[in-house]
Amino acid sequence: MVATASIKTDELLASWLGSETIYENVMRIIETQKASNKDCTTPTNLLDDGRPPLSPKVKSSKQQQRVEIPPFYSKHRSDGNPQMPPPPKRRYSSSFTEDQSWHSDYLLNNEDDISPKSHEADSVAGDSTTSNKKKSISLQAREMFTELGTRPTRVESSQLTVLRRYLQNPSDEYHTCEDDLVYIPLERFERITKELCNFPTFFHKPLYERILMLWSTYYHLHIGGMEENLPPVVTYGVFHYFWKMEMAPFDKNERFFRLLKRPEVEYITRDDFFPYIKELLNDHPGLEFLSNHAEFQDKYAVTVITRIFYSVNLCHSGRITSRQIRKSNLLSVFQQVDDEEDINKVTKYFSYEHFYVLYCRFWELDHDRDYKITREDLLKYGEHCLSHMIVDRIFDAAPRPFEGSDPATVDENGNLVSKVSRNYLSYEDFIFFMLSEEDKANECSVRYWFTCVDVDGDDKLNNMEMRSFYAVQLHRMQCMGHEVVPFEDMLCQMMDMIKPANGEHLVVEDFLQPHCSQVSGALFDALFNVNKYVMFEQRDPFLERQKREDEFETDWDRFACIDYNRLAMEEEAREEEAMDVDWAAMDEEEEDVDEYNSLGLSGSSEAPF
């Protein structure tokens, strides 16, 4: 009875502290007490209220007068429910507000200034508004080619002869005068790529090669008259053709999609990304230290591409379509990594710290170094936190990143068999698993684990399936000495949090409801991850508030930061231990030399030369 009463008291205390009304009253009392002691000279970071010291940032006088809010304070939404996640960000159209045709008229540079007053001011100012105009694409290109390009008169006679054949061909409408023959070499094409085409700077080499390839195909099919190879340079006329065919008719996302894919298909494969990631590795200052480590450059590229397919290609076909590009943030993240010098600040896809965590975790499990994770290896993940039942389902049913893109073979009975082996996890498969395991609050992870738990494959998660997984959890909790929670109590608690449309079963859409973004993984943890489920049952409401208000956008970002620091500390400890061993070996060698000299066996101490 005493133990039961104490447990009930703990539950009441946790619910009392988790109440928003009680919490606000407590905070109001604290702020009142602080206001009454505002003349106290005790430093803020030494106050005995449980708060960590403030970050040493310079603040204005107005900011210093504001009430300091603890990091676990829950920000209120306008609807009064602080537990609800913020609404999804609006996806703005990627279409241009300006005319993107080659010979467009002068356009307003300030796209937002379209009020009647602005038009009235323009009519009054007359020619003075010319400075607020933006030049057409053809004029911008002409100025850049004049500034950065090389005129035909300055090249070798052999190349000049080949370039002038453009003018001699009456069918070539893109080269009609000497100015159309001005060309920009590859090493000076970055400004065209960034300022005119609005692609990341490190796209300049693949873009240059794509322009030449498309122009060569078009010239031989529609113009002809030049049997030998075309000049390997992009002239003003060649760029005019490329803009007319590949840029002007399309918006930003479609341009990005058409540049990455092969011209003969309508999808992007993993191989299409490698030239661009290779240029990123060569150009980005945050990845310069990898220049002498070709193996890790390849692994970093594979990691980035696999993470892109994890978030963008939700159907796991291994082929990214134009529609998937539009629904994703891929283009904006590429632009961000081009502008950001610190690669680790781009947590989407490109962070080197995230790659380091993924690869080290894979390396820790791959004991035989064959780049394959077996079932026995995966059972050791996270201090044996996963049940053997879910590990079997991961190998048998979990989505594989590029399984749909690999060609299938036919077995002896004439059935199609995928070349992807289900007997082990490759590094790409492990990335899918780890991203899903450490962040169960996103759609990719929900679909990953729902597929694993849906044993009969009917797209419905019923009580029988959940009970079979939870039975293994009950046995493990008993063996570890944890308090056992009956299946009915666990299921009732999860149903209250998820609020499914049908009480008889769960579907994927139930986990993707807005109010489930922070609790969708709780049910999966209860079914197969004993460590996380125990942590969920023993969670501290104050720590949960602090977790919701920290700097990390996702659970994966938070986990990667913590695990990277752990790995970095372990690496430093190993280096210090190695240095201590080296010093000890040097001391022993010096002692041996001294003993050798004391016996008079060393001979002359002078150098032989």
Side-chain angles (χ1 to χ4, degrees):
M1 293 296 295
V2 176
T4 303
S6 62
I7 294 175
K8 293 295 183 181
T9 303
D10 293 340
E11 293 179 354
L12 289 174
L13 180 60
S15 61
W16 181 78
L17 292 176
S19 172
E20 295 295 331
T21 304
I22 298 298
Y23 181 78
E24 291 177 358
N25 292 335
V26 172
M27 292 306 305
R28 192 178 296 110
I29 295 174
I30 294 175
E31 298 300 337
T32 304
Q33 183 65 26
K34 289 173 60 180
S36 62
N37 297 334
K38 62 181 179 180
D39 295 332
C40 181
T41 59
T42 305
T44 307
N45 59 346
L46 296 180
L47 292 175
D48 190 16
D49 58 357
R51 290 184 289 119
L54 298 176
S55 59
K57 295 182 180 180
V58 179
K59 300 181 179 181
S60 62
S61 58
K62 293 183 178 180
Q63 290 176 331
Q64 291 177 350
Q65 294 175 0
R66 294 179 181 176
V67 177
E68 297 172 358
I69 302 177
F72 50 79
Y73 186 80
S74 182
K75 298 179 180 179
H76 285 273
R77 289 272 310 281
S78 58
D79 56 5
N81 187 359
Q83 302 296 333
M84 293 289 286
K89 295 182 179 180
R90 177 183 175 185
R91 287 194 177 97
Y92 295 96
S93 173
S94 64
S95 60
F96 295 93
T97 57
E98 303 172 348
D99 185 3
Q100 292 291 296
S101 60
W102 183 254
H103 294 295
S104 57
D105 296 330
Y106 278 74
L107 303 162
L108 280 175
N109 190 22
N110 188 358
E111 300 171 3
D112 299 330
D113 192 8
I114 57 176
S115 62
K117 291 183 179 181
S118 64
H119 291 292
E120 182 179 355
D122 291 342
S123 62
V124 174
D127 295 338
S128 63
T129 59
T130 305
S131 60
N132 294 328
K133 303 293 184 177
K134 185 174 182 180
K135 297 177 182 179
S136 64
I137 300 299
S138 60
L139 291 178
Q140 294 182 62
R142 180 72 73 182
E143 291 180 355
M144 289 189 182
F145 271 79
T146 302
E147 178 185 354
L148 305 173
T150 302
R151 302 192 66 83
T153 57
R154 300 178 182 177
V155 300
E156 299 179 358
S157 58
S158 59
Q159 189 171 354
L160 175 60
T161 303
V162 178
L163 286 172
R164 287 190 181 278
R165 290 187 181 180
Y166 283 143
L167 298 178
Q168 299 171 2
N169 194 331
S171 301
D172 189 352
E173 60 179 309
Y174 297 103
H175 297 91
T176 59
C177 62
E178 291 284 345
D179 291 339
D180 293 340
L181 298 180
V182 178
Y183 67 89
I184 296 180
L186 173 61
E187 58 271 14
R188 295 200 296 266
F189 204 70
E190 292 183 350
R191 276 190 60 190
I192 295 287
T193 304
K194 182 69 173 179
E195 299 178 14
L196 205 56
C197 299
N198 293 313
F199 289 130
T201 306
F202 59 92
F203 275 33
H204 71 284
K205 183 178 180 180
L207 174 62
Y208 199 91
E209 295 173 350
R210 175 58 64 90
I211 293 175
L212 291 177
M213 186 266 291
L214 294 176
W215 169 250
S216 177
T217 303
Y218 171 80
Y219 194 91
H220 289 98
L221 290 178
H222 299 89
I223 299 178
M226 192 179 296
E227 297 179 358
E228 64 273 10
N229 294 330
L230 298 179
V233 291
V234 175
T235 64
Y236 178 83
V238 172
F239 186 76
H240 178 192
Y241 155 77
F242 174 76
W243 189 275
K244 181 180 178 181
M245 296 299 178
E246 295 293 325
M247 301 292 285
F250 308 107
D251 62 6
K252 294 179 181 179
N253 284 325
E254 190 67 19
R255 292 176 179 180
F256 178 79
F257 173 73
R258 294 178 66 84
L259 177 61
L260 265 69
K261 75 179 186 68
R262 299 192 302 275
E264 65 273 12
V265 298
E266 292 301 323
Y267 53 82
I268 302 173
T269 64
R270 56 179 165 180
D271 294 336
D272 297 328
F273 282 100
F274 276 105
Y276 302 90
I277 306 302
K278 180 180 179 181
E279 292 303 315
L280 174 68
L281 286 163
N282 294 334
D283 295 346
H284 200 284
L287 298 171
E288 185 178 0
F289 65 95
L290 281 179
S291 58
N292 297 326
H293 303 279
E295 178 184 359
F296 293 109
Q297 284 186 333
D298 295 338
K299 294 300 180 183
Y300 174 82
V302 170
T303 304
V304 171
I305 295 171
T306 306
R307 291 188 64 185
I308 290 175
F309 274 85
Y310 176 80
S311 300
V312 179
N313 186 227
L314 296 179
C315 61
H316 307 304
S317 65
R319 299 174 177 180
I320 296 179
T321 63
S322 175
R323 183 178 180 182
Q324 292 171 348
I325 291 289
R326 293 182 181 277
K327 295 175 63 177
S328 70
N329 61 351
L330 187 58
L331 177 57
S332 62
V333 177
F334 266 96
Q335 296 286 4
Q336 181 186 359
V337 76
D338 184 39
D339 299 332
E340 179 59 60
E341 293 186 0
D342 187 356
I343 194 71
N344 293 316
K345 291 184 178 180
V346 188
T347 56
K348 296 290 185 181
Y349 318 130
F350 293 99
S351 172
Y352 177 81
E353 292 183 355
H354 291 190
F355 153 71
Y356 189 84
V357 169
L358 288 166
Y359 188 75
C360 287
R361 282 297 186 109
F362 179 83
W363 189 256
E364 290 174 355
L365 296 178
D366 183 26
H367 296 290
D368 53 2
R369 304 294 182 253
D370 60 350
Y371 288 96
K372 297 178 182 179
I373 299 296
T374 63
R375 299 172 191 255
E376 292 74 17
D377 295 333
L378 194 60
L379 281 171
K380 302 174 184 177
Y381 180 85
E383 299 179 354
H384 299 81
C385 62
L386 300 175
S387 65
H388 67 84
M389 189 172 183
I390 194 62
V391 169
D392 290 338
R393 289 295 297 168
I394 290 172
F395 278 82
D396 296 339
R400 302 294 177 101
F402 305 111
E403 187 173 20
S405 62
D406 292 332
T409 57
V410 180
D411 60 10
E412 298 177 354
N413 299 325
N415 300 320
L416 291 178
V417 180
S418 175
K419 286 187 177 181
V420 177
S421 176
R422 286 281 175 177
N423 297 324
Y424 61 86
L425 297 182
S426 65
Y427 177 55
E428 294 90 337
D429 301 331
F430 180 79
I431 292 175
F432 262 47
F433 157 74
M434 189 169 175
L435 292 176
S436 301
E437 169 57 25
E438 302 303 337
D439 184 5
K440 298 186 176 72
N442 61 78
E443 181 179 356
C444 311
S445 175
V446 168
R447 295 186 181 277
Y448 183 94
W449 291 119
F450 191 91
T451 303
C452 293
V453 180
D454 182 23
V455 179
D456 55 9
D458 62 349
D459 296 330
K460 297 178 183 178
L461 193 58
N462 54 52
N463 290 355
M464 185 65 65
E465 291 170 329
M466 290 186 286
R467 186 183 293 274
S468 62
F469 280 94
Y470 193 74
V472 181
Q473 288 288 81
L474 282 178
H475 178 70
R476 299 184 72 197
M477 287 189 290
Q478 289 177 346
C479 295
M480 299 172 65
H482 294 298
E483 180 183 0
V484 176
V485 180
F487 173 76
E488 290 74 13
D489 296 345
M490 182 278 297
L491 185 62
C492 181
Q493 180 187 19
M494 298 302 168
M495 290 295 183
D496 290 341
M497 292 191 303
I498 298 176
K499 298 179 176 60
N502 190 323
E504 299 297 326
H505 59 263
L506 293 169
V507 294
V508 173
E509 288 72 21
D510 294 331
F511 294 93
L512 301 179
Q513 300 177 86
H515 67 273
C516 290
S517 62
Q518 299 300 324
V519 297
S520 58
L523 175 60
F524 293 128
D525 289 334
L527 295 180
F528 53 74
N529 192 317
V530 63
N531 294 346
K532 290 186 177 180
Y533 179 53
V534 171
M535 291 176 59
F536 174 79
E537 287 294 315
Q538 300 175 357
R539 64 191 182 280
D540 187 346
F542 286 101
L543 294 179
E544 289 298 314
R545 290 178 184 272
Q546 185 175 2
K547 180 180 175 181
R548 290 196 299 267
E549 299 300 327
D550 61 17
E551 59 182 347
F552 302 105
E553 295 183 4
T554 64
D555 291 340
W556 164 252
D557 293 342
R558 184 182 300 103
F559 168 82
C561 179
I562 296 174
D563 205 53
Y564 178 81
N565 292 332
R566 176 188 67 84
L567 293 170
M569 292 177 62
E570 292 178 357
E571 182 66 22
E572 292 177 358
R574 282 194 295 267
E575 292 179 356
E576 293 178 357
E577 182 179 356
M579 291 180 62
D580 293 340
V581 172
D582 292 340
W583 282 110
M586 291 178 61
D587 292 340
E588 291 179 0
E589 291 179 358
E590 291 178 356
E591 292 177 359
D592 294 340
V593 170
D594 294 340
E595 183 178 357
Y596 187 73
N597 292 335
S598 64
L599 296 176
L601 302 177
S602 62
S604 176
S605 61
E606 297 180 358
F609 47 89

